Amino acid sequence: MTRRYLIQSIAAGALAIGLLGAAAAASAQDRKTIKIGVTPGPHAQIMEAVKPIAAQKGLDIQIIEFSDYVVPNAALEAGELQANSFQHKPYLDNQKADRGYRIEAVGYTVNFPIGLYSKKYKSWDAVPQSASLAIPNDPTNGGRVLLLLQDKGVLKLKDGVGFKPSVADIVDNPKKLKITEIDAAQTPRTLDDVDVAAVNTNYATQAGLDPVKDAILREDPKGPYANLIAVRAADKDQPWVKALVESYQTPQIKEFILTKFKGAVLPAW
């Protein structure tokens, strides 16, 4: 190899490396980093499975876990998150009405049929008169439990209560259940103190409960309680939002949900 040819080869190699570096830098700049708020358990686990699919569409997902249902919408409204995935539409609608959030649903995710659990009784029929019952204290999830109890013939509510009935709307309570309202995230911890507790599926699985085997009453997977991805209204038409929803609503994620959660969590798209 001549000296001149060697110099040309080295120069060409350096140019190629430089072009590759520039392409990588450009590619990194083209990627969109989005922070997504979730609650621990299934929502977080599913979003972890979404991450590599979204990466192929240029999205770098950073998952931020919240231990309650209140903060994720406040953080999204404040711009601390770009999206969240933890709530159903009645809850979001209630938050928007109460707090004026400019947040919109952009795609459905999963359904978590809510259940009633007990450490003392193996079936609902075994639950005695005047039993103590803990339910979530937010209007939508607490109301959801009351609608479940009405659907199962346990109690009766006023006509026309919609999706947010309260304890005050109970007109017939044959079992004379003593109902206590507490924060949804704390409901699994009450099982040592109450006869029965209504627990959202994400908190139930996090506490080691099996919603399919352990629930003594369980909601039918119907109605408006499908969970969703939410973003700020100003962002809903952004290309990354479409990419995020498409990454979630894939056959791979559907299979992951069905395999991982064995019926406790159901795809909602």
Side-chain angles (χ1 to χ4, degrees), residues 111 113 144 147-148 151-152 163 219-226 266:
N111 197 348
R144 182 179 182 180
L147 289 170
L148 163 61
D151 186 53
K152 301 299 183 182
F163 295 120
E219 181 183 58
D220 295 326
K222 63 183 181 181
Y225 297 112
L266 301 172

Side-chain angles (χ1 to χ4, degrees), residues 5-17:
Y5 183 76
L6 178 60
I7 292 172
Q8 289 175 336
S9 297
I10 293 172
L15 177 60
I17 293 171

Side-chain angles (χ1 to χ4, degrees), residues 76 82-83 102-104 106 229-233 235-236 240-241:
L76 178 58
Q82 281 68 54
R102 293 158 295 180
I103 296 173
E104 299 294 335
V106 292
I229 296 171
V231 301
R232 287 187 297 279
D235 289 336
K236 67 178 182 178
W240 64 263
V241 174

